[in-house]
């Protein structure tokens, strides 16, 4: 399995510095671009790094690009054919959907920025998927329910949303990103995309949506990040992307 080293530090270690350390082979990188890009970057940046550590981020040709994160240190894999999404819990009719079934439901298209709480941002990313509200209506949410617990098939990452948040039109179960089926690195074949919140809410490798009556904070929320991770309003705010 491809290896992705460390998750982002809960305290919000500046990403720029971790990128640099990783590229110098000093460890501590939670980032994977693909080996070719990375080795080119190492070659180009090493001399700059040695001369000027603090000013380095402005030279990084990674501005506006995604970093690939996985808290397990690995990239789990499910083919498009074997993929299944389960929606269960406090619902009238639990459902298990294939990728073609997801594609056959009413679709939502969004073009929105993707912003990690550590400061990096990718502007204007095109997404396509099914609004969570459509899935919730399909299974029939019971009156006692008020939250969702979302599970990844990486076996470790979870997220939470209130039902009100989940019913927003800009919260989708995404199967397409930048014009292609969501890639394995980006959490494919299906991930969550919570447009109004920081990236940590956008759970990758989505496997299960459980409707519940109690709030169960997600992975990073257990390390102190806001449960309501609104971009610009919550505790991880970074006005200036670091790289
Ligand atoms: N399963 C899983 N989902 C995850 C993460 C993760 O480590 N594991 N990281 C989160 C964080 S902090 C961010 S910023 C985004 C990054 O998405 P990307 O890897 O596609 O750039 O995924 C989010 N979803
Ligand atoms: Mo993030």
């Amino acid at each position: 399995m491809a290896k992705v080293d460390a998750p982002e530090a809960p305290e919000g270690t500046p990403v720029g510095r971790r990128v640099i350390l990783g590229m110098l082979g000093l460890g501590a990188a939670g980032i994977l671009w693909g080996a070719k890009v990375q080795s080119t970057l190492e070659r180009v940046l090493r001399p700059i790094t040695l001369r000027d550590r603090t000013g380095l981020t402005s030279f990084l040709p990674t501005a506006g690009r995604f970093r690939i994160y996985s808290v397990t240190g690995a990239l789990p894999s499910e083919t498009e054919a074997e993929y299944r999404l389960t929606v269960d819990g406090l619902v009238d009719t639990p459902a298990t959907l294939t990728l073609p079934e997801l594609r056959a439901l009413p679709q939502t298209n969004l073009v929105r920025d993707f912003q990690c709480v550590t400061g990096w941002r990718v502007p204007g990313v095109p997404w396509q998927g099914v609004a969570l509200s459509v899935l919730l209506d399909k299974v029939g949410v019971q009156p006692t329910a008020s939250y969702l617990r979302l599970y990844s098939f990486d076996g470790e990452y979870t997220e939470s949303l209130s039902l009100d948040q989940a019913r927003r039109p800009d919260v989708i179960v995404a199967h397409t990103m930048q014009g292609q089926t969501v890639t394995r690195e980006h959490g494919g074949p299906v991930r969550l995309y919570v447009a109004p919140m920081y990236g940590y809410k956008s759970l990758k490798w989505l496997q299960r949506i459980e409707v519940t009556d109690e709030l169960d904070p997600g992975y990073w929320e257990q390390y102190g990040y806001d449960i309501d991770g609104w971009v610009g309003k919550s505790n991880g705010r970074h006005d200036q992307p670091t790289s």
Side-chain angles (χ1 to χ4, degrees):
M1 253 204 221
K3 190 81 181 147
V4 182
D5 293 333
E8 65 196 270
E11 315 78 38
T13 306
V15 164
R17 182 166 166 73
R18 285 167 51 243
V19 170
I20 293 153
L21 290 174
M23 288 191 306
L24 290 172
L26 302 177
I31 295 121
L32 181 138
W33 287 279
K36 214 192 273 164
V37 177
Q38 177 139 0
S39 66
T40 306
L41 287 177
E42 277 172 22
R43 224 170 343 107
V44 170
L45 288 170
R46 193 179 299 256
I48 303 170
T49 313
L50 297 178
R51 260 208 319 274
D52 176 14
R53 291 199 141 233
T54 52
L56 181 73
T57 50
S58 56
F59 293 97
L60 276 169
T62 54
R65 298 178 63 139
F66 280 92
R67 317 300 193 262
I68 303 299
Y69 288 139
S70 178
V71 298
T72 64
L75 299 176
S77 166
E78 276 190 19
T79 65
E80 295 185 28
E82 70 194 2
Y83 180 77
R84 297 289 183 279
L85 172 64
T86 298
V87 189
D88 64 0
L90 300 173
V91 302
D92 297 332
T93 50
T96 298
L97 294 118
T98 64
L99 191 56
E101 285 168 342
L102 279 173
R103 290 184 184 278
L105 289 169
Q107 302 290 299
T108 295
N109 286 281
L110 299 169
V111 178
R112 293 282 194 288
D113 297 353
F114 190 90
Q115 184 161 343
C116 175
V117 72
T118 59
W120 58 267
R121 169 167 38 209
V122 185
V125 182
W127 299 87
Q128 188 183 335
V130 179
L132 248 182
S133 66
V134 168
L135 287 176
L136 294 173
D137 289 346
K138 185 175 160 61
V139 294
V141 172
Q142 295 180 355
T144 54
S146 41
Y147 295 98
L148 300 184
R149 196 178 291 150
L150 302 121
Y151 300 80
S152 169
F153 61 78
D154 69 11
E156 204 158 321
Y157 204 88
T158 59
E159 254 308 331
S160 67
L161 286 171
S162 72
L163 273 182
D164 286 346
Q165 292 165 357
R167 289 190 185 283
R168 290 176 57 111
D170 53 359
V171 177
I172 67 172
V173 169
H175 53 68
T176 298
M177 180 183 165
Q178 295 172 318
Q180 58 173 331
T181 302
V182 179
T183 60
R184 179 184 178 196
E185 308 83 70
H186 284 302
V190 175
R191 76 180 293 173
L192 199 67
Y193 178 52
V194 181
M197 296 197 188
Y198 286 114
Y200 64 89
K201 300 299 290 190
S202 292
L203 174 140
K204 309 205 296 184
W205 308 293
L206 177 64
Q207 180 179 45
R208 179 180 172 207
I209 300 168
E210 185 188 12
V211 181
T212 73
D213 58 2
E214 57 179 38
L215 174 64
D216 186 12
Y219 184 92
W220 284 117
E221 293 146 31
Q222 292 165 27
Y223 290 95
Y225 283 111
D226 278 346
I227 290 165
D228 301 328
W230 306 109
V231 172
K233 282 186 219 154
S234 70
N235 61 12
R237 178 171 183 170
H238 287 245
D239 287 324
Q240 303 295 325
T242 54
S243 59

